[in-house]
Amino acid sequence: MDTSIIDKLKEIVDTNLISFHMPGHKLGKVYDKLGYSDILKNIYKMDTTEIDGTDNLHSPDGIIKKSQERASKVFKSKHTYYLVNGSTCGIQGAIMASCLPKDKIIVNRDCHQSVINSCILGDIEPVYIRPKINIQTNIIEGIERQDVIDTIDNNLDAKAILVTYPTYYGKTYDLKKICDYAHEKNMVVIVDEAHGSHLGLSDKLPKTALEQGADIVIQSTHKTLPSFTQSSMIHIQGNRVDIDKIGQILRIIESSSPSYVLMSSLDLAVDIYESKGELLMNELLLNIDIFTNDMKDNEFIDVFNEDDKTKIFISTKKMGITGYELEKILRQKYNVQVELANYYGVLLICTIGNEIEDFNIIKKALNDISKNFHSEKTIETIQYPMSIPLKVLSPREAFYKPKKRVKIYESIGKICGEYVIPYPPGISLLSPGEIITKEIIDYILLCNEKGMNVSGIKDSSLQFIEIVVD
Ligand SMILES: Cc1ncc(COP(=O)(O)O)c(C=O)c1O
């Protein structure tokens, strides 16, 4: 057999990797623990298409309808659609169902790229809200209510507002007040809850976006609950949104052969959520409390997990190593994989698929590493450029304009033709259609020198950047 993908994945499974990353089922361990192995052993035989009895995702009236209705009841929505192309397609559906071409939508600047890509598809004009950034960790902390109110007041013609809640790092904010204010101004509230499908499982976690009044909520079930990668849900409530219009757009953008394997995994995630979710979440939160309390004894490591306690950021600053270095050591020496590394630390995503043993292993690893690898190196805080660059073309106009590559310093004052997204904190510093500034170029070159990742830009060596040809 010559199967490079399968060979590598099998090797990873055989090493019994400890997963603090997505997907939420943690390499299938939660299914084994809960007794679903027999069903899943035969999942390949359930890969089918629309035949008698299997219903149709795009006009459901049988088993898919029943399963979606159960999800709607469990997640407390008016209607729920299953998604087989991740939250990405849910965001596309939500935005294009709420805005017509040339309409404005208010979005947090640290939104996922699928938001801006939806604006390209739908010819919609994004207006940005500046996010708050913690200057010690460069973690994105969400948005300030006053900034949202000001942006709404300055753009009363916007049809909708889309916010990310919680952030990738588990930070939340008072979403209810934002929903109430946006509704007063007749705007639809779309919440990208890609990282929060588990929030309803405990009152020790932040309230869900639906509970706080959002009209449309998109969740990556696969990220924080046990379903397969790419399987997500979109929930709708209230009367501000045309449910059928969302369905119509999903029919355009999703495959006409939706995967029954993915839909089955959503069916299973709903079953686990309803029957055992609260119990498993209580156990998880207890394990997390023990872990974070124990880590307080380690003078070299700071652990942050405010708001959504299941997202744990481990700061490596006091150890004198970067998050990138810690990620590598954890994987190579301790067989532990984190969700992401940035210059200042690593992020763990913990789900109901994690066991106490996982926390014991990472605790021991971190204690060993802080003893054996700490250095005198200073991990200094690099000042992040807070100003949002001037937008002179809409994302769609910029997308369709001809582009050329120029040397990076020759691009200053020109219109950017691509995304530039440094990690941390993972916010697009430049998007297509915006004027490139010296402050931003200086910052990304410094990031590069310090070993930070800059994604989006095609030339990863950062010598060249694509600009729009006027
Ligand atoms: C905040 C946010 N929204 C949306 C998405 C897209 O989700 P999916 O991967 O399910 O398409 C992501 C993916 O990482 C994300 O981080």
Side-chain angles (χ1 to χ4, degrees), residues 74-89:
V74 168
F75 287 92
K76 304 190 174 73
S77 73
K78 180 171 163 187
H79 188 84
T80 293
Y81 288 109
Y82 283 173
L83 304 171
V84 291
N85 191 25
S87 289
T88 298
C89 73

Side-chain angles (χ1 to χ4, degrees), residues 22 85-89 91 110-112 114 164 166 168 192 194-195 219-220 222-223 230-232:
M22 304 166 199
N85 191 25
S87 289
T88 298
C89 73
I91 287 169
D110 55 310
C111 63
H112 187 252
S114 58
T164 311
Y168 202 166
D192 175 356
H195 294 281
Q219 297 177 332
S220 291
H222 64 96
K223 294 191 198 298
Q230 219 171 301
S231 61
S232 290

Side-chain angles (χ1 to χ4, degrees), residues 78-184:
K78 180 171 163 187
H79 188 84
T80 293
Y81 288 109
Y82 283 173
L83 304 171
V84 291
N85 191 25
S87 289
T88 298
C89 73
I91 287 169
Q92 290 167 351
I95 292 180
M96 288 196 278
S98 309
C99 300
L100 297 174
K102 309 289 180 210
D103 276 348
K104 270 189 197 168
I105 185 167
I106 296 171
V107 303
N108 52 299
R109 177 69 184 189
D110 55 310
C111 63
H112 187 252
Q113 267 190 47
S114 58
V115 174
I116 308 304
N117 290 338
S118 304
C119 292
I120 294 176
L121 289 175
D123 196 8
I124 294 155
E125 190 73 48
V127 178
Y128 298 110
I129 311 164
R130 187 190 322 280
K132 226 171 33 163
I133 295 169
N134 178 327
I135 54 164
Q136 293 308 317
T137 56
N138 259 11
I139 288 178
I140 305 163
E141 300 205 313
I143 42 181
E144 299 269 20
R145 183 155 57 102
Q146 195 53 49
D147 288 340
V148 180
I149 287 174
D150 291 346
T151 314
I152 290 178
D153 286 346
N154 290 331
N155 296 280
L156 288 170
D157 52 341
K159 291 294 182 323
I161 171 168
L162 180 147
V163 294
T164 311
Y165 171 102
T167 69
Y168 202 166
Y169 298 90
K171 301 296 289 181
T172 56
Y173 44 87
D174 192 344
L175 183 59
K176 180 166 187 321
K177 292 216 169 82
I178 292 174
C179 290
D180 290 347
Y181 196 76
H183 288 157
E184 258 178 47

